[in-house]
């Protein structure tokens, strides 16, 4: 298992918590807790070794396409494809945007 910690500038604040996915489902789970401030901190536990560059690229792409909220995100990844990872992350962002 690999543990990765990333931080990205956040451009807005939201409130609440959100969960997407199920860790035991064979893909991934994303938990998000909103915080005040201007940073999105991501803690990733993944079964895929040497994947830090892939995760950085995914969040850089998300940040370029839309704004990232301030908060703490935990990702438990068990080999999800990049498409599934993006969907799960966008699901928690959408949920807290409507909280």
């Amino acid at each position: 298992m690999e543990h990765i910690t990333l931080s990205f500038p956040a451009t807005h604040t939201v409130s609440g918590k959100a969960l997407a996915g199920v860790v035991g489902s064979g893909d991934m789970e994303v938990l998000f807790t909103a915080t005040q401030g201007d940073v999105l901190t991501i803690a990733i536990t993944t079964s895929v070794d040497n994947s830090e560059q892939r995760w950085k690229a995914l969040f850089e792409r998300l940040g370029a396409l839309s704004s990232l909220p301030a908060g703490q995100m935990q990702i438990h990844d068990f080999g999800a494809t990049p498409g599934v990872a993006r969907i799960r992350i966008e699901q928690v962002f959408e949920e807290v945007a409507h909280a």
Side-chain angles (χ1 to χ4, degrees):
M1 297 300 275
E2 183 174 9
H3 300 282
I4 302 165
T5 302
L6 303 172
S7 292
F8 291 91
T11 55
H12 70 284
T13 58
V14 294
S15 62
K17 297 180 180 184
L19 166 68
V22 179
V23 75
S25 68
D27 63 33
M28 68 181 283
E29 163 183 80
V30 179
L31 300 104
F32 177 81
T33 302
T35 61
Q36 297 299 311
D38 59 359
V39 176
L40 170 62
T41 303
I42 306 123
I44 303 163
T45 302
T46 180
S47 63
V48 181
D49 291 335
N50 302 312
S51 62
E52 185 170 347
Q53 287 304 112
R54 179 176 63 100
W55 285 105
K56 281 184 184 177
L58 175 61
F59 279 96
E60 287 170 356
R61 192 173 318 116
L62 286 170
L65 296 173
S66 62
S67 58
L68 298 175
Q72 299 283 328
M73 179 177 284
Q74 292 182 4
I75 297 175
H76 302 111
D77 171 41
F78 289 92
T81 65
V84 169
R86 182 174 173 171
I87 288 168
R88 296 287 182 248
I89 293 163
E90 288 176 339
Q91 285 172 330
V92 295
F93 288 165
E94 183 177 344
E95 188 171 332
V96 294
H98 297 295

